[in-house]
Amino acid sequence: MSRGEHHRIHAQDRSQRTRLRIAQEAARLMSEHGIRDFHHAKLKAAERLGIIDDQALPRNNEIEEALREHQRIFKGDSQPLALRARREAAVEGMFFLRGFDPRLVGAVLEGTADEHSAVCLHVFSEDPEAVPLFLTEHGIPFGTQVRRLRMTREDQAEFTALTFNADGIAFDLTVLPHDALRQAPLDRVDEKPMRRANRSAVQAMLTEEDLAQWDSAQAGSGSGH
């Protein structure tokens, strides 16, 4: 192996270790401080580690993988309970909002939600004021913001986002036109169309969890004989 090749491999190895350190610190910040934005988390992690090389920043999917590992190690008991509570809340919220074809997206669907996470839903209406009016009619106070989503790799668009709390769990609604039912915005993790689930799919996930827990309990009781 030439000296130049040796230096190149060493530099790549060092870069990979640096990316992993930043990803792990970003995952810790997201888990312990409730940071939800991957880009903000990686920049803050790099700053805390004293790393100023933008080329060393990990990709979002690397941070998500580190977040899953952090939760498995440090929140093995609490995170599954928080996730379950939010999936159950999602089912109830989607029934309440059934007139707007709700779809679950984000951490609650992907399984990385914790006690800091909101239930993120896409709701669909040609009239952007219809969803705020619906919440107002039901006496639900909410906050409003503008959310920018990437519809394609080249195009972004702004949509109304509504936030409120129900039984101690935060909800985050993005109001989209009906066309967006066919074409989901791009995911911030892998830049592919967002994975989304309707109410029956989320209910099926909860049922699968129940069956898995029952099977585990039966296996455990059987091993004791």
Side-chain angles (χ1 to χ4, degrees), residues 190-214:
D190 58 14
E191 295 189 342
K192 296 178 181 178
M194 285 185 185
R195 193 163 77 96
R196 302 191 288 199
N198 61 19
R199 180 171 174 264
S200 61
V202 180
Q203 184 62 65
M205 293 172 69
L206 291 170
T207 301
E208 286 181 13
E209 289 176 13
D210 290 338
L211 290 173
Q213 289 180 357
W214 188 84

mmCIF file of all heavy atoms in Angstrom, residues 190-214:
data_model
loop_
_atom_site.group_PDB
_atom_site.id
_atom_site.type_symbol
_atom_site.label_atom_id
_atom_site.label_comp_id
_atom_site.label_asym_id
_atom_site.label_seq_id
_atom_site.Cartn_x
_atom_site.Cartn_y
_atom_site.Cartn_z
ATOM 1 N N ASP A 190 -34.625 10.927 4.474
ATOM 2 C CA ASP A 190 -34.057 10.264 3.294
ATOM 3 C C ASP A 190 -34.444 10.917 1.979
ATOM 4 O O ASP A 190 -34.083 10.421 0.913
ATOM 5 C CB ASP A 190 -34.460 8.781 3.278
ATOM 6 C CG ASP A 190 -35.975 8.589 3.290
ATOM 7 O OD1 ASP A 190 -36.713 9.573 3.048
ATOM 8 O OD2 ASP A 190 -36.418 7.455 3.533
ATOM 9 N N GLU A 191 -35.189 12.022 2.033
ATOM 10 C CA GLU A 191 -35.600 12.772 0.847
ATOM 11 C C GLU A 191 -36.472 11.948 -0.092
ATOM 12 O O GLU A 191 -36.594 12.241 -1.274
ATOM 13 C CB GLU A 191 -34.387 13.335 0.095
ATOM 14 C CG GLU A 191 -33.615 14.364 0.907
ATOM 15 C CD GLU A 191 -32.553 15.072 0.084
ATOM 16 O OE1 GLU A 191 -32.185 14.564 -0.988
ATOM 17 O OE2 GLU A 191 -32.114 16.154 0.525
ATOM 18 N N LYS A 192 -37.107 10.912 0.424
ATOM 19 C CA LYS A 192 -38.104 10.150 -0.320
ATOM 20 C C LYS A 192 -39.488 10.601 0.155
ATOM 21 O O LYS A 192 -39.610 11.241 1.202
ATOM 22 C CB LYS A 192 -37.925 8.648 -0.078
ATOM 23 C CG LYS A 192 -36.602 8.100 -0.592
ATOM 24 C CD LYS A 192 -36.472 6.614 -0.271
ATOM 25 C CE LYS A 192 -35.138 6.063 -0.760
ATOM 26 N NZ LYS A 192 -34.980 4.633 -0.424
ATOM 27 N N PRO A 193 -40.555 10.306 -0.610
ATOM 28 C CA PRO A 193 -41.890 10.694 -0.142
ATOM 29 C C PRO A 193 -42.158 10.170 1.270
ATOM 30 O O PRO A 193 -41.837 9.016 1.591
ATOM 31 C CB PRO A 193 -42.823 10.033 -1.175
ATOM 32 C CG PRO A 193 -41.996 9.997 -2.424
ATOM 33 C CD PRO A 193 -40.590 9.703 -1.955
ATOM 34 N N MET A 194 -42.710 11.027 2.115
ATOM 35 C CA MET A 194 -42.969 10.657 3.507
ATOM 36 C C MET A 194 -43.838 9.401 3.601
ATOM 37 O O MET A 194 -44.798 9.240 2.857
ATOM 38 C CB MET A 194 -43.723 11.787 4.219
ATOM 39 C CG MET A 194 -42.903 12.982 4.581
ATOM 40 S SD MET A 194 -43.932 14.131 5.551
ATOM 41 C CE MET A 194 -42.788 15.509 5.703
ATOM 42 N N ARG A 195 -43.464 8.545 4.535
ATOM 43 C CA ARG A 195 -44.335 7.418 4.847
ATOM 44 C C ARG A 195 -45.511 7.937 5.656
ATOM 45 O O ARG A 195 -45.325 8.723 6.600
ATOM 46 C CB ARG A 195 -43.549 6.359 5.641
ATOM 47 C CG ARG A 195 -44.268 5.029 5.732
ATOM 48 C CD ARG A 195 -43.294 3.941 6.151
ATOM 49 N NE ARG A 195 -42.988 3.990 7.560
ATOM 50 C CZ ARG A 195 -43.599 3.245 8.493
ATOM 51 N NH1 ARG A 195 -44.570 2.427 8.138
ATOM 52 N NH2 ARG A 195 -43.243 3.322 9.754
ATOM 53 N N ARG A 196 -46.708 7.520 5.297
ATOM 54 C CA ARG A 196 -47.907 7.983 5.996
ATOM 55 C C ARG A 196 -48.819 6.789 6.270
ATOM 56 O O ARG A 196 -48.751 5.775 5.580
ATOM 57 C CB ARG A 196 -48.655 9.027 5.152
ATOM 58 C CG ARG A 196 -47.806 10.225 4.811
ATOM 59 C CD ARG A 196 -48.586 11.385 4.217
ATOM 60 N NE ARG A 196 -49.047 11.155 2.865
ATOM 61 C CZ ARG A 196 -49.422 12.131 2.043
ATOM 62 N NH1 ARG A 196 -49.422 13.384 2.462
ATOM 63 N NH2 ARG A 196 -49.832 11.862 0.817
ATOM 64 N N ALA A 197 -49.662 6.917 7.278
ATOM 65 C CA ALA A 197 -50.559 5.818 7.632
ATOM 66 C C ALA A 197 -51.924 6.379 8.002
ATOM 67 O O ALA A 197 -52.016 7.398 8.694
ATOM 68 C CB ALA A 197 -49.988 5.016 8.800
ATOM 69 N N ASN A 198 -52.983 5.701 7.550
ATOM 70 C CA ASN A 198 -54.323 6.109 7.952
ATOM 71 C C ASN A 198 -54.672 5.485 9.302
ATOM 72 O O ASN A 198 -53.875 4.747 9.888
ATOM 73 C CB ASN A 198 -55.350 5.753 6.872
ATOM 74 C CG ASN A 198 -55.413 4.248 6.600
ATOM 75 O OD1 ASN A 198 -54.983 3.428 7.418
ATOM 76 N ND2 ASN A 198 -55.955 3.885 5.447
ATOM 77 N N ARG A 199 -55.855 5.779 9.782
ATOM 78 C CA ARG A 199 -56.233 5.355 11.139
ATOM 79 C C ARG A 199 -56.248 3.837 11.280
ATOM 80 O O ARG A 199 -55.757 3.302 12.291
ATOM 81 C CB ARG A 199 -57.613 5.937 11.473
ATOM 82 C CG ARG A 199 -58.119 5.582 12.859
ATOM 83 C CD ARG A 199 -59.380 6.362 13.211
ATOM 84 N NE ARG A 199 -59.953 5.929 14.471
ATOM 85 C CZ ARG A 199 -60.934 5.043 14.561
ATOM 86 N NH1 ARG A 199 -61.459 4.506 13.463
ATOM 87 N NH2 ARG A 199 -61.407 4.686 15.741
ATOM 88 N N SER A 200 -56.760 3.126 10.298
ATOM 89 C CA SER A 200 -56.831 1.671 10.416
ATOM 90 C C SER A 200 -55.435 1.057 10.448
ATOM 91 O O SER A 200 -55.204 0.071 11.157
ATOM 92 C CB SER A 200 -57.644 1.094 9.257
ATOM 93 O OG SER A 200 -57.053 1.390 8.016
ATOM 94 N N ALA A 201 -54.487 1.657 9.722
ATOM 95 C CA ALA A 201 -53.113 1.134 9.725
ATOM 96 C C ALA A 201 -52.454 1.335 11.084
ATOM 97 O O ALA A 201 -51.726 0.465 11.574
ATOM 98 C CB ALA A 201 -52.294 1.810 8.629
ATOM 99 N N VAL A 202 -52.699 2.488 11.709
ATOM 100 C CA VAL A 202 -52.130 2.738 13.035
ATOM 101 C C VAL A 202 -52.758 1.816 14.061
ATOM 102 O O VAL A 202 -52.077 1.276 14.948
ATOM 103 C CB VAL A 202 -52.313 4.224 13.434
ATOM 104 C CG1 VAL A 202 -51.716 4.476 14.823
ATOM 105 C CG2 VAL A 202 -51.658 5.137 12.409
ATOM 106 N N GLN A 203 -54.076 1.601 13.955
ATOM 107 C CA GLN A 203 -54.746 0.674 14.867
ATOM 108 C C GLN A 203 -54.179 -0.731 14.703
ATOM 109 O O GLN A 203 -53.989 -1.463 15.688
ATOM 110 C CB GLN A 203 -56.245 0.668 14.594
ATOM 111 C CG GLN A 203 -57.047 -0.195 15.570
ATOM 112 C CD GLN A 203 -56.940 0.297 16.999
ATOM 113 O OE1 GLN A 203 -57.407 1.395 17.314
ATOM 114 N NE2 GLN A 203 -56.333 -0.498 17.866
ATOM 115 N N ALA A 204 -53.864 -1.107 13.467
ATOM 116 C CA ALA A 204 -53.275 -2.428 13.223
ATOM 117 C C ALA A 204 -51.899 -2.541 13.873
ATOM 118 O O ALA A 204 -51.521 -3.601 14.391
ATOM 119 C CB ALA A 204 -53.183 -2.686 11.721
ATOM 120 N N MET A 205 -51.122 -1.444 13.859
ATOM 121 C CA MET A 205 -49.815 -1.447 14.512
ATOM 122 C C MET A 205 -49.964 -1.698 16.006
ATOM 123 O O MET A 205 -49.194 -2.461 16.599
ATOM 124 C CB MET A 205 -49.111 -0.112 14.269
ATOM 125 C CG MET A 205 -48.726 0.136 12.829
ATOM 126 S SD MET A 205 -48.105 1.816 12.550
ATOM 127 C CE MET A 205 -46.554 1.757 13.431
ATOM 128 N N LEU A 206 -50.961 -1.057 16.626
ATOM 129 C CA LEU A 206 -51.196 -1.246 18.059
ATOM 130 C C LEU A 206 -51.606 -2.690 18.348
ATOM 131 O O LEU A 206 -51.168 -3.285 19.340
ATOM 132 C CB LEU A 206 -52.271 -0.282 18.542
ATOM 133 C CG LEU A 206 -51.872 1.199 18.563
ATOM 134 C CD1 LEU A 206 -53.095 2.078 18.820
ATOM 135 C CD2 LEU A 206 -50.819 1.457 19.627
ATOM 136 N N THR A 207 -52.432 -3.251 17.474
ATOM 137 C CA THR A 207 -52.864 -4.637 17.667
ATOM 138 C C THR A 207 -51.685 -5.586 17.553
ATOM 139 O O THR A 207 -51.553 -6.537 18.334
ATOM 140 C CB THR A 207 -53.934 -4.997 16.622
ATOM 141 O OG1 THR A 207 -55.049 -4.111 16.764
ATOM 142 C CG2 THR A 207 -54.409 -6.427 16.812
ATOM 143 N N GLU A 208 -50.795 -5.324 16.601
ATOM 144 C CA GLU A 208 -49.595 -6.159 16.450
ATOM 145 C C GLU A 208 -48.715 -6.085 17.697
ATOM 146 O O GLU A 208 -48.157 -7.094 18.132
ATOM 147 C CB GLU A 208 -48.803 -5.710 15.224
ATOM 148 C CG GLU A 208 -49.421 -6.092 13.902
ATOM 149 C CD GLU A 208 -48.579 -5.645 12.727
ATOM 150 O OE1 GLU A 208 -47.405 -5.265 12.951
ATOM 151 O OE2 GLU A 208 -49.085 -5.672 11.597
ATOM 152 N N GLU A 209 -48.611 -4.886 18.274
ATOM 153 C CA GLU A 209 -47.831 -4.738 19.507
ATOM 154 C C GLU A 209 -48.449 -5.566 20.635
ATOM 155 O O GLU A 209 -47.737 -6.236 21.401
ATOM 156 C CB GLU A 209 -47.781 -3.267 19.917
ATOM 157 C CG GLU A 209 -46.931 -2.390 19.024
ATOM 158 C CD GLU A 209 -46.995 -0.931 19.431
ATOM 159 O OE1 GLU A 209 -47.497 -0.654 20.549
ATOM 160 O OE2 GLU A 209 -46.570 -0.071 18.651
ATOM 161 N N ASP A 210 -49.771 -5.513 20.740
ATOM 162 C CA ASP A 210 -50.455 -6.282 21.776
ATOM 163 C C ASP A 210 -50.210 -7.782 21.613
ATOM 164 O O ASP A 210 -49.949 -8.501 22.587
ATOM 165 C CB ASP A 210 -51.966 -6.004 21.737
ATOM 166 C CG ASP A 210 -52.309 -4.594 22.197
ATOM 167 O OD1 ASP A 210 -51.495 -3.994 22.916
ATOM 168 O OD2 ASP A 210 -53.395 -4.097 21.830
ATOM 169 N N LEU A 211 -50.288 -8.248 20.360
ATOM 170 C CA LEU A 211 -50.071 -9.672 20.103
ATOM 171 C C LEU A 211 -48.627 -10.073 20.404
ATOM 172 O O LEU A 211 -48.380 -11.152 20.955
ATOM 173 C CB LEU A 211 -50.405 -9.991 18.643
ATOM 174 C CG LEU A 211 -51.893 -9.920 18.264
ATOM 175 C CD1 LEU A 211 -52.062 -10.095 16.768
ATOM 176 C CD2 LEU A 211 -52.697 -10.963 19.020
ATOM 177 N N ALA A 212 -47.685 -9.190 20.063
ATOM 178 C CA ALA A 212 -46.277 -9.481 20.329
ATOM 179 C C ALA A 212 -46.024 -9.565 21.835
ATOM 180 O O ALA A 212 -45.286 -10.449 22.304
ATOM 181 C CB ALA A 212 -45.389 -8.419 19.700
ATOM 182 N N GLN A 213 -46.635 -8.643 22.594
ATOM 183 C CA GLN A 213 -46.475 -8.669 24.049
ATOM 184 C C GLN A 213 -47.106 -9.934 24.635
ATOM 185 O O GLN A 213 -46.560 -10.538 25.559
ATOM 186 C CB GLN A 213 -47.098 -7.422 24.665
ATOM 187 C CG GLN A 213 -46.316 -6.144 24.381
ATOM 188 C CD GLN A 213 -46.971 -4.929 25.002
ATOM 189 O OE1 GLN A 213 -48.033 -5.010 25.607
ATOM 190 N NE2 GLN A 213 -46.332 -3.772 24.851
ATOM 191 N N TRP A 214 -48.256 -10.326 24.109
ATOM 192 C CA TRP A 214 -48.927 -11.534 24.600
ATOM 193 C C TRP A 214 -48.073 -12.765 24.315
ATOM 194 O O TRP A 214 -47.899 -13.624 25.184
ATOM 195 C CB TRP A 214 -50.293 -11.666 23.928
ATOM 196 C CG TRP A 214 -51.133 -12.773 24.508
ATOM 197 C CD1 TRP A 214 -51.934 -12.721 25.607
ATOM 198 C CD2 TRP A 214 -51.229 -14.124 24.000
ATOM 199 N NE1 TRP A 214 -52.523 -13.941 25.822
ATOM 200 C CE2 TRP A 214 -52.119 -14.819 24.860
ATOM 201 C CE3 TRP A 214 -50.658 -14.788 22.920
ATOM 202 C CZ2 TRP A 214 -52.440 -16.160 24.647
ATOM 203 C CZ3 TRP A 214 -50.978 -16.129 22.712
ATOM 204 C CH2 TRP A 214 -51.859 -16.800 23.571
#
